[in-house]
C-alpha cells in the first residue's frame, strides 16, 4: 500500500513538472489492479484499527479476514466496507441459511442498478465523449449539455454499480451499506457529501479528518483539516492535476460553507440553495472529467459566453445526424433531471419492494436491459473501475 501511494505521488509530481516547465519527463506506466484504491482504503482502515486496538473482536480469524478482503461484489468499486460491519456477517448462523426475502431484494437491487448503467449512463456516453475527448472548441449549449450529461452519467454509472453490489451481496445474505442518497437534491456542499459516495466520506472523516484533530483545535485548524482531507480525497482518485484541483475546490467550498454558518448569515431559499450547490458540483465534475487543463479552459470559455451559443455544425454532423431518434435523446436528459429531483432513490424504494406493482416495474426494466445487451452499441465499462 505504501508503494501505491509513492507511485501516485511520483506520477503526480512528474505531471506538475511537465505542465510548469513544458518538459516531457517519462511517466511510470505501471499496470495496477482494477479498483486498487477501494481495497487499499479498506486495508488501511483494518491496519489502523488493529494498531489502535479498535474493533478487534470483529477481526479475528484468518479465514474471515480473507473473505473480507476478497468479497467480490464490492471489491472493485465499493462501497468501501468497514471490517467491523462485514466480518461478523460471515460467521453469523442466520446468514448460513437460504433467505428468500433477501434473494427477492437482491434481484430488485441488481435490476435497478443494471438499468441505471445500461439504460441511462451508457446512453449519455456519446455526448460526453464528444465534449470531453475531442479537440473541437465547444459552444455554450454543447458545454452545458456535455457537463450535465457527465454529471448524470457519473451518478447513474456509480450508483448503478453500488446497487448491483448491494444486490449481489444479498444473494449471500450479506448486507452492504448504501453509498448514495439522492446527492443531487443536496441544498449545500456539506449536505452533498453526506449523500454522495457516503462510505468514502465516512472513511475520510474517521481516518483523516478526526485523526488530524477534526474541529477540536480551533477554527483555523478545523479549516486546515477540511482542506487537507479533501486534498487527499482528490489524490485518491488519481495522480492528475485535475483531480487535485477538484479536491481543493470541494475543500474550499466546505470551508466557506462552515464560515457562512458560523457567521449566522441569512439562509437562502431552498431552490436557490439547490441551484447554487448543483451548479458548483456540476462545474467541479467538469474539472474531474477533464484530461488536461486546456479542456477546462475550453469549457470555461464556452460557459462564460466567449463562444457562440448554438450547436456547431461538427456537433450536428457527429452527434445529431447519426442518431435518427435524437429528440428522444434530448428528452432523455430532461427525464434524467426529473428522475434525480422528483423520484425516490434505491434506499427509499426498498420500502416498496414488497408490492407486486414495483416487482412488475423491475421485471420490465430487466427486459429492457436484456434488449440493450443484445444491441450493445454504446456499452461502456464502469467509470470507477479506473480508480
Amino acid at each position: 500500500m505504501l508503494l501505491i501511494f509513492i507511485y501516485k505521488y511520483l506520477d503526480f509530481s512528474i505531471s506538475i513538472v511537465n505542465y510548469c516547465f513544458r518538459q516531457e519527463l517519462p511517466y511510470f506506466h505501471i499496470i495496477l489492479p482494477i479498483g486498487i484504491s477501494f481495497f487499499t482504503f479498506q486495508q488501511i482502515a483494518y491496519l489502523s484499527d488493529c494498531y489502535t486496538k479498535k474493533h478487534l473482536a470483529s477481526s479475528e480469524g484468518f479465514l474471515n479476514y480473507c473473505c473480507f478482503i476478497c468479497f467480490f461484489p464490492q471489491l472493485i468499486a465499493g462501497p468501501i466496507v468497514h471490517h467491523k460491519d462485514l466480518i461478523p456477517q460471515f460467521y453469523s448462523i442466520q446468514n448460513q441459511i437460504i433467505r428468500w426475502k433477501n434473494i427477492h431484494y437482491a434481484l430488485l437491487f441488481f435490476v435497478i442498478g443494471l438499468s441505471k448503467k445500461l439504460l441511462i449512463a451508457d446512453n449519455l456516453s456519446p455526448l460526453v465523449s464528444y465534449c470531453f475527448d475531442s479537440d473541437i472548441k465547444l459552444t455554450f449549449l454543447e458545454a452545458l449539455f456535455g457537463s450535465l450529461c457527465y454529471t448524470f452519467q457519473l451518478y447513474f454509472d456509480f450508483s448503478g454499480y453500488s446497487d448491483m453490489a448491494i444486490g449481489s451481496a444479498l444473494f449471500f445474505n450479506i448486507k452492504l451499506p448504501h453509498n448514495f442518497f439522492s446527492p443531487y437534491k443536496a441544498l449545500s456542499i456539506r449536505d452533498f457529501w453526506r449523500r454522495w459516495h457516503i462510505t468514502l466520506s465516512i472513511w475520510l472523516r474517521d481516518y483523516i479528518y478526526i485523526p488530524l484533530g477534526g474541529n477540536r483545535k480551533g477554527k483555523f485548524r478545523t479549516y486546515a483539516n477540511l482542506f487537507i482531507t479533501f486534498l487527499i480525497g482528490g489524490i485518491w482518485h488519481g495522480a492528475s492535476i485535475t483531480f487535485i484541483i477538484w479536491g481543493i475546490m470541494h475543500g474550499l467550498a466546505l470551508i466557506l460553507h462552515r464560515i457562512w454558518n458560523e457567521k449566522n448569515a441569512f439562509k437562502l431559499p431552498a431552490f436557490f440553495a439547490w441551484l447554487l450547490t448543483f451548479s458548483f458540483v456540476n462545474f467541479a465534475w467538469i474539472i474531474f472529467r477533464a484530461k488536461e487543463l486546456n479542456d477546462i479552459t475550453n469549457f470555461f470559455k464556452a460557459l462564460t459566453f466567449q463562444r457562440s451559443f448554438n450547436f456547431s455544425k461538427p456537433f450536428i454532423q457527429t452527434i445529431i445526424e447519426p442518431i435518427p431518434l435524437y429528440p428522444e435523446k434530448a428528452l432523455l436528459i430532461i427525464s434524467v433531471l426529473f428522475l434525480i429531483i422528483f423520484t425516490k432513490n434505491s434506499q427509499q424504494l426498498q420500502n416498496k419492494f414488497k408490492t407486486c406493482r414495483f416487482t412488475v416495474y423491475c421485471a420490465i426494466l430487466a427486459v429492457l436491459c436484456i434488449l440493450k445487451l443484445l444491441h450493445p452499441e454504446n456499452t461502456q465499462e464502469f467509470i470507477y473501475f479506473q480508480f
Side-chain angles (χ1 to χ4, degrees), residues 41 54-55 82 84-85 190 193-194 197-216 225-226 228-230 232-233:
F41 267 24
K54 293 171 57 178
H55 313 296
H82 198 281
K84 71 178 177 62
D85 299 322
R190 183 181 182 186
W193 278 104
R194 288 177 173 176
H197 206 343
I198 299 171
T199 56
L200 174 63
S201 301
I202 293 174
W203 193 97
L204 292 173
R205 180 198 67 192
D206 292 345
Y207 294 96
I208 297 179
Y209 179 69
I210 293 178
L212 286 173
N215 58 358
R216 304 185 304 272
N225 292 341
L226 279 172
I228 293 171
T229 298
F230 277 86
I232 294 175

Side-chain angles (χ1 to χ4, degrees), residues 337-355:
L337 184 60
F338 178 85
L339 287 172
I340 287 175
I341 298 175
F342 297 106
T343 62
K344 297 182 178 180
N345 55 54
S346 303
Q347 189 173 348
Q348 294 170 322
L349 290 173
Q350 186 175 0
N351 298 326
K352 295 187 176 182
F353 281 1
K354 297 179 181 179
T355 63

